[in-house]
Amino acid sequence: MELVRTFADSQALYRGLVGLVPTMGFFHEGHLALMKTARLAADTVVVSHFVNPLQFHDPADLERYPRNLERDLDLAASEEVDVFFAPAATEMLPALTTVVVREISERMEGPGRPGHFEGVATIVAKLFAGLQPHLAYFGRKDAQQLAVIRRMCTDLSFPVRILAHPTVREPDGLALSSRNVLLRPEDRAPALELSRGLLKAAEVAEAGERDGPTLEAIAREVITSTEPEYLELASQENAARLVELNRPAFLALAAKVGNVRLIDNVALDLVGGQIVADRGVRLAQTSLLYR
Ligand code: AMP
């Protein structure tokens, strides 16, 4: 594996099909799953490693975001990543240009995090243009982000195939996030209510319930220790709220637990006219986050 700092140095190492895994580092098994999947399909696997200041609304959140380059280099190397792209901010931050994916960015996460998806779309556009991957891997954990990026690629004709990976969860169901290391022991039980609520509603959806507000209420009933910022059934395509579950959807929420803002969702896919929930995958053992 080569550690590179510039787009040119990254491209100089390519052979064959290039798969990119964009990340902000402090790896967990969710990131590693994207790398493993990329490794199976691509001749050259590139991992980008950049804590994107543009996507942080809250400066304190950016400040305490966990970072450890040495640890991440070891983990990426053990996944047989070819190119580890860790750019300086000067390589990554455009001075005057931004990318705004309207409407999709304004829903759900949008109101609570002004500028968040603009920051994400701008940096992902820059990565796509500068690194020119054929394939790019994203997690379903960030379902709205996935919709934003897919739409950006369609609208701006980026020649990149976007591939989505199921959410990787801790053994107790909590969606893996680098921020989970910031949870205190007493935050664990309230945090667990989030995935339990979503999974309960997903079960009811699979059993035939199609009413959006009913599904949202079923999830809400389980979540008693925190008040979610939002909890909505939305279209996978554009994150618009769905009153009726009649297309590929996701039930998503954001909630503050202790000092940490967590997001989670369960995708409700349409398979042969049936709703099938993507519950993600669960680790069999404690995450490497806590090692
Ligand atoms: P991040 O470093 O948090 O920006 O995440 C980098 C990529 O990993 C994004 O595409 C995320 O959606 C994905 N990701 C983060 N957490 C998970 C998870 N628990 N399961 C699957 N993918 C994830």
Side-chain angles (χ1 to χ4, degrees):
M1 188 178 81
E2 299 277 347
L3 168 62
V4 301
R5 303 285 187 184
T6 66
F7 292 129
D9 286 350
S10 181
Q11 290 207 32
L13 296 166
Y14 292 176
R15 57 177 187 88
L17 201 67
V18 177
L20 170 67
V21 181
T23 80
M24 297 205 300
F26 211 80
F27 296 151
H28 52 63
E29 288 85 346
H31 299 109
L32 303 189
L34 299 182
M35 295 176 207
K36 286 183 210 298
T37 308
R39 183 71 282 164
L40 293 173
D43 300 303
T44 303
V45 175
V46 183
V47 167
S48 66
H49 188 275
F50 180 62
V51 181
N52 171 18
L54 300 181
Q55 73 183 70
F56 286 82
H57 165 60
D58 175 5
D61 189 25
L62 173 61
E63 177 70 27
R64 65 168 180 254
Y65 198 83
R67 294 168 170 89
N68 189 334
L69 180 64
E70 287 306 315
R71 169 187 181 277
D72 288 345
L73 284 167
D74 285 347
L75 288 166
S78 64
E79 296 303 334
E80 298 176 65
V81 166
D82 300 299
V83 181
F84 192 102
F85 175 63
T90 46
E91 180 86 359
M92 283 310 290
L93 299 178
L96 300 177
T97 305
T98 69
V99 177
V100 179
V101 181
R102 290 194 298 266
E103 298 182 18
I104 306 178
S105 300
E106 291 154 17
R107 302 170 176 143
M108 307 181 100
E109 288 287 290
R113 303 180 81 186
H116 171 69
F117 287 118
E118 180 176 350
V120 171
T122 300
I123 287 303
V124 172
K126 180 101 175 168
L127 288 171
F128 285 180
L131 294 173
Q132 303 203 7
H134 303 100
L135 314 169
Y137 294 83
F138 292 88
R140 290 194 107 178
K141 157 98 190 319
D142 299 281
Q144 187 178 3
Q145 169 174 285
L146 195 57
V148 166
I149 286 161
R150 284 192 193 284
R151 187 57 189 246
M152 176 186 83
C153 286
T154 302
D155 285 358
L156 299 183
S157 305
F158 277 106
V160 183
R161 185 190 292 178
I162 304 299
L163 297 149
H165 192 283
T167 299
V168 182
R169 297 180 179 282
E170 300 199 27
D172 58 13
L174 181 65
L176 271 168
S177 163
S178 306
R179 289 186 176 87
N180 291 1
V181 294
L182 304 173
L183 292 169
R184 301 162 305 178
E186 62 267 35
D187 296 329
R188 197 82 197 175
L192 282 185
E193 291 176 2
L194 308 179
S195 56
R196 269 202 280 123
L198 295 173
L199 292 167
K200 170 102 184 286
E203 234 170 71
V204 178
E206 283 180 326
E209 180 60 61
R210 293 288 173 270
D211 184 64
T214 302
L215 293 169
E216 292 165 0
I218 289 165
R220 241 172 226 284
E221 250 169 46
V222 178
I223 302 166
T224 55
S225 309
T226 65
E227 178 59 36
E229 248 173 58
Y230 64 84
L231 192 169
E232 282 179 34
L233 182 73
S235 155
Q236 282 180 25
E237 191 192 351
N238 57 18
R241 192 168 198 169
L242 288 180
V243 176
E244 196 192 345
L245 177 51
N246 56 6
R247 66 195 69 198
F250 63 106
L251 186 63
L253 58 75
K256 197 112 190 251
V257 178
N259 261 332
V260 189
R261 187 176 179 278
L262 298 175
I263 62 168
D264 197 358
N265 76 88
V266 174
L268 299 167
D269 298 320
L270 254 184
V271 182
Q274 294 272 98
I275 293 293
V276 179
D278 180 350
R279 294 170 169 72
V281 293
R282 272 190 206 218
L283 296 179
Q285 68 292 314
T286 308
S287 169
L288 62 86
L289 275 179
Y290 309 108
R291 261 182 231 153

